[in-house]
Amino acid sequence: MELGLSISENIRSNESVRTFKPSRGVVYLAIGERFVAETVVSSNSMRRHLNLPCTIFTNLPEDAALTGCFDQVVAIQASGRRAHRDKLVAMRASPYNETLFLDTDTFIGSAMDDCWKLLDRFDLAFAGDRGYKDRFPSGTDVPDSFKEPNLGVLFYRRSNEMDDVFDKTLKLYDEFSKKDPNFFNDQSPFRIILYHSHLRFSILTDEDNCRFANYGKLNGKVRVLHGRLKSGKFDEKTLSRLLERLNVTTVPRAFAAGKVIALWPRRFKLIH
């Protein structure tokens, strides 16, 4: 598929997407068998705690693993440039008025009713992302102090301006890709477009998007795991154990390199 195809050209059978009636729901994108399998694990965890209608955009709509897991399966034509552009397309085409977009490598451990309340006052909510290296293109008039959003756990409500942000992000993504064939990042162009928009946004807590495979801090109960273990295991049993490990205590704590250090009165304690 050529970069720059319209939303309707990217999604096959999309005439039914936005006629799907529930006002609030969850959206996934899964390109390829590995990511379809991850999405099944993630969506099962979501069902236990959120109990919301769920839509998956995928290039494998006939995959047997999807049977019974989703309320709506939408066929999407994979762009062939990893899934970063396809992810933006799926977000833009959400059938819900209020959407929680989840990456396939997420695992839900608790209800998140209070996060939806943010959409009563804000257009979107996300956790900040600070990876190993910032991807801040020059000449965008966006200060480095404007943190990149992590789009793996994203709450947003539909509006003309929200649609416009997704459209402009897709356009900028294509521009970056034409200049650099090795460009694969949805968050970098989204950050730029969001900065120049009038959308109101709120920041999710680290516990609602715990990037456990990297490093971070926690204060309270982890509700959403986001990432992959080096072992490659992505199953309910393994992720449930990891969630328990991170939540052995809910006092302020830090994690890195597989270790969790909790701050106790007047001293630090290594938990794991």
PDB file of all heavy atoms in Angstrom, residues 3 30 66 75 78 95 111 117-118 131 133 157 159-160 178 183 206 228 254 263:
ATOM      1  N   LEU A   3       1.982   4.940   0.909  1.00  0.00           N
ATOM      2  CA  LEU A   3       1.733   5.867   1.998  1.00  0.00           C
ATOM      3  C   LEU A   3       0.829   6.975   1.497  1.00  0.00           C
ATOM      4  O   LEU A   3       0.920   7.422   0.369  1.00  0.00           O
ATOM      5  CB  LEU A   3       3.052   6.455   2.503  1.00  0.00           C
ATOM      6  CG  LEU A   3       3.986   5.479   3.198  1.00  0.00           C
ATOM      7  CD1 LEU A   3       5.280   6.171   3.561  1.00  0.00           C
ATOM      8  CD2 LEU A   3       3.338   4.903   4.436  1.00  0.00           C
ATOM      9  N   ALA A  30      -4.244  -4.991  15.391  1.00  0.00           N
ATOM     10  CA  ALA A  30      -3.351  -6.151  15.399  1.00  0.00           C
ATOM     11  C   ALA A  30      -3.020  -6.538  13.962  1.00  0.00           C
ATOM     12  O   ALA A  30      -3.892  -6.961  13.203  1.00  0.00           O
ATOM     13  CB  ALA A  30      -3.998  -7.333  16.118  1.00  0.00           C
ATOM     14  N   LEU A  66      -9.732 -14.996  16.994  1.00  0.00           N
ATOM     15  CA  LEU A  66     -10.571 -13.827  17.271  1.00  0.00           C
ATOM     16  C   LEU A  66     -12.009 -14.197  17.608  1.00  0.00           C
ATOM     17  O   LEU A  66     -12.754 -13.372  18.131  1.00  0.00           O
ATOM     18  CB  LEU A  66     -10.568 -12.887  16.067  1.00  0.00           C
ATOM     19  CG  LEU A  66      -9.201 -12.323  15.641  1.00  0.00           C
ATOM     20  CD1 LEU A  66      -9.359 -11.485  14.381  1.00  0.00           C
ATOM     21  CD2 LEU A  66      -8.583 -11.502  16.760  1.00  0.00           C
ATOM     22  N   ALA A  75     -11.644  -5.391   8.981  1.00  0.00           N
ATOM     23  CA  ALA A  75     -10.492  -5.703   8.135  1.00  0.00           C
ATOM     24  C   ALA A  75      -9.782  -4.422   7.736  1.00  0.00           C
ATOM     25  O   ALA A  75     -10.411  -3.461   7.296  1.00  0.00           O
ATOM     26  CB  ALA A  75     -10.945  -6.454   6.891  1.00  0.00           C
ATOM     27  N   ALA A  78      -2.943  -3.686   5.727  1.00  0.00           N
ATOM     28  CA  ALA A  78      -1.680  -3.323   6.362  1.00  0.00           C
ATOM     29  C   ALA A  78      -0.848  -2.466   5.424  1.00  0.00           C
ATOM     30  O   ALA A  78      -0.749  -2.735   4.231  1.00  0.00           O
ATOM     31  CB  ALA A  78      -0.906  -4.574   6.757  1.00  0.00           C
ATOM     32  N   PRO A  95     -15.328   3.431  16.198  1.00  0.00           N
ATOM     33  CA  PRO A  95     -16.776   3.572  16.083  1.00  0.00           C
ATOM     34  C   PRO A  95     -17.427   4.202  17.318  1.00  0.00           C
ATOM     35  O   PRO A  95     -18.633   4.416  17.335  1.00  0.00           O
ATOM     36  CB  PRO A  95     -17.246   2.125  15.917  1.00  0.00           C
ATOM     37  CG  PRO A  95     -16.252   1.334  16.714  1.00  0.00           C
ATOM     38  CD  PRO A  95     -14.925   2.039  16.486  1.00  0.00           C
ATOM     39  N   ALA A 111     -10.334  -2.157  37.381  1.00  0.00           N
ATOM     40  CA  ALA A 111     -11.273  -1.260  36.721  1.00  0.00           C
ATOM     41  C   ALA A 111     -10.651   0.125  36.573  1.00  0.00           C
ATOM     42  O   ALA A 111      -9.753   0.502  37.330  1.00  0.00           O
ATOM     43  CB  ALA A 111     -12.569  -1.170  37.516  1.00  0.00           C
ATOM     44  N   LYS A 117     -13.934   9.420  33.424  1.00  0.00           N
ATOM     45  CA  LYS A 117     -14.446  10.712  33.900  1.00  0.00           C
ATOM     46  C   LYS A 117     -13.600  11.870  33.391  1.00  0.00           C
ATOM     47  O   LYS A 117     -14.082  13.009  33.307  1.00  0.00           O
ATOM     48  CB  LYS A 117     -14.499  10.714  35.426  1.00  0.00           C
ATOM     49  CG  LYS A 117     -15.534   9.755  36.004  1.00  0.00           C
ATOM     50  CD  LYS A 117     -15.546   9.801  37.531  1.00  0.00           C
ATOM     51  CE  LYS A 117     -16.566   8.825  38.089  1.00  0.00           C
ATOM     52  NZ  LYS A 117     -16.579   8.824  39.587  1.00  0.00           N
ATOM     53  N   LEU A 118     -12.342  11.597  33.053  1.00  0.00           N
ATOM     54  CA  LEU A 118     -11.493  12.652  32.519  1.00  0.00           C
ATOM     55  C   LEU A 118     -12.060  13.218  31.215  1.00  0.00           C
ATOM     56  O   LEU A 118     -11.879  14.397  30.902  1.00  0.00           O
ATOM     57  CB  LEU A 118     -10.079  12.117  32.262  1.00  0.00           C
ATOM     58  CG  LEU A 118      -9.271  11.720  33.502  1.00  0.00           C
ATOM     59  CD1 LEU A 118      -7.975  11.034  33.076  1.00  0.00           C
ATOM     60  CD2 LEU A 118      -8.973  12.936  34.360  1.00  0.00           C
ATOM     61  N   GLY A 131      11.352   7.493  26.454  1.00  0.00           N
ATOM     62  CA  GLY A 131      12.082   6.284  26.134  1.00  0.00           C
ATOM     63  C   GLY A 131      13.571   6.463  26.280  1.00  0.00           C
ATOM     64  O   GLY A 131      14.057   7.342  26.999  1.00  0.00           O
ATOM     65  N   LYS A 133      15.550   7.381  23.924  1.00  0.00           N
ATOM     66  CA  LYS A 133      16.007   8.490  23.106  1.00  0.00           C
ATOM     67  C   LYS A 133      14.800   9.275  22.604  1.00  0.00           C
ATOM     68  O   LYS A 133      13.858   8.714  22.059  1.00  0.00           O
ATOM     69  CB  LYS A 133      16.819   7.965  21.907  1.00  0.00           C
ATOM     70  CG  LYS A 133      17.363   9.055  21.002  1.00  0.00           C
ATOM     71  CD  LYS A 133      18.150   8.439  19.853  1.00  0.00           C
ATOM     72  CE  LYS A 133      18.695   9.526  18.926  1.00  0.00           C
ATOM     73  NZ  LYS A 133      19.443   8.932  17.790  1.00  0.00           N
ATOM     74  N   ARG A 157     -12.150  11.334  23.174  1.00  0.00           N
ATOM     75  CA  ARG A 157     -13.546  11.455  22.760  1.00  0.00           C
ATOM     76  C   ARG A 157     -13.608  12.019  21.348  1.00  0.00           C
ATOM     77  O   ARG A 157     -12.774  12.829  20.940  1.00  0.00           O
ATOM     78  CB  ARG A 157     -14.329  12.345  23.717  1.00  0.00           C
ATOM     79  CG  ARG A 157     -13.875  13.786  23.790  1.00  0.00           C
ATOM     80  CD  ARG A 157     -14.669  14.548  24.847  1.00  0.00           C
ATOM     81  NE  ARG A 157     -14.270  15.953  24.901  1.00  0.00           N
ATOM     82  CZ  ARG A 157     -14.702  16.809  25.813  1.00  0.00           C
ATOM     83  NH1 ARG A 157     -15.520  16.396  26.767  1.00  0.00           N
ATOM     84  NH2 ARG A 157     -14.310  18.075  25.788  1.00  0.00           N
ATOM     85  N   SER A 159     -14.560  14.160  18.202  1.00  0.00           N
ATOM     86  CA  SER A 159     -14.943  15.519  17.865  1.00  0.00           C
ATOM     87  C   SER A 159     -14.318  15.843  16.522  1.00  0.00           C
ATOM     88  O   SER A 159     -13.415  15.138  16.055  1.00  0.00           O
ATOM     89  CB  SER A 159     -14.454  16.522  18.921  1.00  0.00           C
ATOM     90  OG  SER A 159     -13.033  16.605  18.913  1.00  0.00           O
ATOM     91  N   ASN A 160     -14.772  16.902  15.905  1.00  0.00           N
ATOM     92  CA  ASN A 160     -14.184  17.304  14.631  1.00  0.00           C
ATOM     93  C   ASN A 160     -12.714  17.638  14.794  1.00  0.00           C
ATOM     94  O   ASN A 160     -11.891  17.308  13.932  1.00  0.00           O
ATOM     95  CB  ASN A 160     -14.938  18.499  14.058  1.00  0.00           C
ATOM     96  CG  ASN A 160     -16.338  18.141  13.586  1.00  0.00           C
ATOM     97  OD1 ASN A 160     -16.616  16.999  13.249  1.00  0.00           O
ATOM     98  ND2 ASN A 160     -17.229  19.124  13.564  1.00  0.00           N
ATOM     99  N   LYS A 178       8.617   9.816   3.948  1.00  0.00           N
ATOM    100  CA  LYS A 178       9.176  10.071   2.623  1.00  0.00           C
ATOM    101  C   LYS A 178      10.597  10.622   2.727  1.00  0.00           C
ATOM    102  O   LYS A 178      11.450  10.335   1.883  1.00  0.00           O
ATOM    103  CB  LYS A 178       8.279  11.036   1.863  1.00  0.00           C
ATOM    104  CG  LYS A 178       6.960  10.418   1.430  1.00  0.00           C
ATOM    105  CD  LYS A 178       6.054  11.442   0.759  1.00  0.00           C
ATOM    106  CE  LYS A 178       4.716  10.806   0.370  1.00  0.00           C
ATOM    107  NZ  LYS A 178       3.795  11.801  -0.229  1.00  0.00           N
ATOM    108  N   PHE A 183      11.896   5.831   9.162  1.00  0.00           N
ATOM    109  CA  PHE A 183      11.038   6.461  10.164  1.00  0.00           C
ATOM    110  C   PHE A 183       9.846   5.565  10.459  1.00  0.00           C
ATOM    111  O   PHE A 183       9.056   5.248   9.578  1.00  0.00           O
ATOM    112  CB  PHE A 183      10.547   7.828   9.684  1.00  0.00           C
ATOM    113  CG  PHE A 183       9.606   8.486  10.658  1.00  0.00           C
ATOM    114  CD1 PHE A 183      10.091   9.192  11.747  1.00  0.00           C
ATOM    115  CD2 PHE A 183       8.232   8.373  10.501  1.00  0.00           C
ATOM    116  CE1 PHE A 183       9.221   9.787  12.654  1.00  0.00           C
ATOM    117  CE2 PHE A 183       7.358   8.956  11.402  1.00  0.00           C
ATOM    118  CZ  PHE A 183       7.860   9.673  12.482  1.00  0.00           C
ATOM    119  N   ASP A 206       1.281   6.933  36.148  1.00  0.00           N
ATOM    120  CA  ASP A 206       2.181   5.851  35.713  1.00  0.00           C
ATOM    121  C   ASP A 206       1.571   4.490  35.984  1.00  0.00           C
ATOM    122  O   ASP A 206       1.893   3.516  35.295  1.00  0.00           O
ATOM    123  CB  ASP A 206       3.521   5.966  36.451  1.00  0.00           C
ATOM    124  CG  ASP A 206       4.272   7.236  36.083  1.00  0.00           C
ATOM    125  OD1 ASP A 206       4.177   7.658  34.921  1.00  0.00           O
ATOM    126  OD2 ASP A 206       4.939   7.810  36.956  1.00  0.00           O
ATOM    127  N   ARG A 228       6.610  -5.884  26.981  1.00  0.00           N
ATOM    128  CA  ARG A 228       6.883  -7.303  26.744  1.00  0.00           C
ATOM    129  C   ARG A 228       8.101  -7.733  27.551  1.00  0.00           C
ATOM    130  O   ARG A 228       9.070  -6.977  27.688  1.00  0.00           O
ATOM    131  CB  ARG A 228       7.130  -7.566  25.256  1.00  0.00           C
ATOM    132  CG  ARG A 228       5.943  -7.250  24.377  1.00  0.00           C
ATOM    133  CD  ARG A 228       6.223  -7.533  22.908  1.00  0.00           C
ATOM    134  NE  ARG A 228       5.055  -7.240  22.084  1.00  0.00           N
ATOM    135  CZ  ARG A 228       4.826  -6.064  21.525  1.00  0.00           C
ATOM    136  NH1 ARG A 228       5.707  -5.075  21.679  1.00  0.00           N
ATOM    137  NH2 ARG A 228       3.750  -5.866  20.800  1.00  0.00           N
ATOM    138  N   ALA A 254      10.228   2.456  42.937  1.00  0.00           N
ATOM    139  CA  ALA A 254      10.838   2.584  41.618  1.00  0.00           C
ATOM    140  C   ALA A 254      11.156   1.196  41.086  1.00  0.00           C
ATOM    141  O   ALA A 254      11.345   0.246  41.868  1.00  0.00           O
ATOM    142  CB  ALA A 254      12.107   3.423  41.695  1.00  0.00           C
ATOM    143  N   LEU A 263      10.040   2.739  48.854  1.00  0.00           N
ATOM    144  CA  LEU A 263      10.424   3.736  49.843  1.00  0.00           C
ATOM    145  C   LEU A 263       9.572   3.526  51.086  1.00  0.00           C
ATOM    146  O   LEU A 263       8.360   3.718  51.082  1.00  0.00           O
ATOM    147  CB  LEU A 263      10.208   5.149  49.293  1.00  0.00           C
ATOM    148  CG  LEU A 263      10.426   6.293  50.274  1.00  0.00           C
ATOM    149  CD1 LEU A 263      11.880   6.295  50.752  1.00  0.00           C
ATOM    150  CD2 LEU A 263      10.084   7.623  49.624  1.00  0.00           C
TER     151      LEU A 263
END
